Amino acid sequence: MIHKFSMNGVNVVLDVFSGAVHVADDTMFDIVDTYENSSRDEVIKLFGDKYSADELNETMDELDELRKEEMLYAPDIYENAIDFVDARQPVVKALCLHIAHDCNLKCKYCFAEEGEYHGHRSLMSSKVGRAAIDFIIKNSGKRHNLEVDFFGGEPLMNFDVVKEIVEYARQQEKLYDKNFRFTITTNGVLLNDEILDYINKNMHNVVISLDGRKEINDMMRPRAGGQGSYDLIVPKFIKLAESRNQTDYYIRGTFTRHNLDFSKDVLHMADLGFKQISVEPVVGTPDTDYAIREEDVPAICEEYERLAAELYERHKKGGEGDFNFFHFNIDLTGGPCVIKRLVGCGSGTEYLSVTPEGELYPCHQFVGLEGFSMGNVFDGMNNFELREKFSKCNVYAKEECKNCWARFYCSGGCAANAYQLSGDILKPYEIGCELQRKRIECAIMIKAKEFQEEQLNNED
Amino acid sequence: MKHVKTMNTSMLKNTMAKGGCGECQTSCQSACKTSCTVANQACENR
Ligand code: SF4
Ligand code: SF4
Ligand code: SF4
């Protein structure tokens, strides 16, 4: 299976099952899909008007060579890898701790219902937090690296408990030969120097939330009293990013149908000096005014192309204006093994969420949803049927993904979005897929342009 | 080659043999999280 696209003046041919990515001239780009299942004569008949027979034969010689080296038209040999995945001992290696089901912002698109998660406002106790640490250690088997994310609502509203949990985990990791990596996600409202210092000493990664331009951010992320949050948080975020040397953090935002020109928001953040930026489409049900609609997709795709072209230019220039856009980062030469690519996020199996009361859910987006409770941190997992269902939620279990060229880059999308929009974790959210595929193309385009440039430089 | 240049040589299938150890980071892809495209993740088993 191949996938080809042309963007920003470069022709890319992706061979899905080998993972090879080729930059093609127009001749090859035109004939590469036809030649997979057609004879030379047929190709010459079809394209003879446009190219000479010599040109076509020469191109097909090259295609034959790539085919021989299994870098083109490679077969799908990965469905068997799934058996291996199924046979794996289920272990838990990451927890999302809902430190506070409460929030001091009132973001309009919040899936957590402003922190309440279909429940009531509550804070996690350190007792529950410690039990969560015990739970992950006990259920992590031989895994050495364990992740704990402090999430909310807004975790800074219960920061003393965060510190207690970190301290406890640091003691326990020595006893059990584990290595904890902590992450915290915050809206910044309560951030101060003392907290920042603690975060920099203890957190492997920090996620801070801003939607971009002031008017956009303040429209979607108002404070409790209705006033905007931008002026309060931006100076703190700049300080945070600088104090972490512009790495191991990122500033993330959400775009909605109210700002389909979101590349401006991304560039706004870049111009504020942020280097690690992630801005993503909101996922909302069609009854909301901000949800992305099918008719918005072409405009968003164009916007992604514009952003990718700009990012390529900024990479090239380097210095001040350069930045990383999370979704356009891609590693074509290494990256994860194919098994990881098939299983994706691991929600409900390797990754679980813990509510303030200690209840377990498949991930933060399932918290509070009817039928998705999986047990609790004191007594352990009890919903094995649900775990089984999630453990089988891989690329080859989904009809759409099985035929999708992007499967090894996307790994089957988000189960929670799938459930939210289609009622089935195995049925991907169509708009999300279209945008995901576009982002992957953009990411590859940037690499392809850089590659082309290198080639040119080498020729000189 | 004249009509095509290949950008990468490492092949997906070579990662099958020793893969799946699970030491790498989880990779939530939703908008609200430490989200990332799986293809950008680092492998911890090399
Ligand atoms: S650490 Fe590497 S080999 Fe192990 S599961 Fe992750 S990507 Fe695969
Ligand atoms: S883009 Fe959609 S169909 Fe393709 S792999 Fe991802 S979730 Fe599956
Ligand atoms: S199901 Fe979606 S939100 Fe939950 S961990 Fe996976 S990618 Fe993230």
Side-chain angles (χ1 to χ4, degrees), chain A residues 6-10 305 308-310 312-313 445 449 452:
Chain A
S6 205
M7 192 195 300
N8 206 8
V10 58
E305 283 199 25
E310 170 72 19
Y312 163 70
E313 293 300 332
M445 177 279 283
K449 292 285 277 189
Q452 259 186 339

Side-chain angles (χ1 to χ4, degrees), chain A residues 25 70 250 252 333 335 340, chain B residues 3 10 13 25 31 34 46:
Chain A
D25 71 357
E70 295 183 35
Y250 59 98
R252 59 152 313 278
T333 50
K340 166 92 183 173
Chain B
H3 301 277
S10 82
K13 73 170 184 194
Q25 268 193 29
T34 44
R46 270 171 228 258

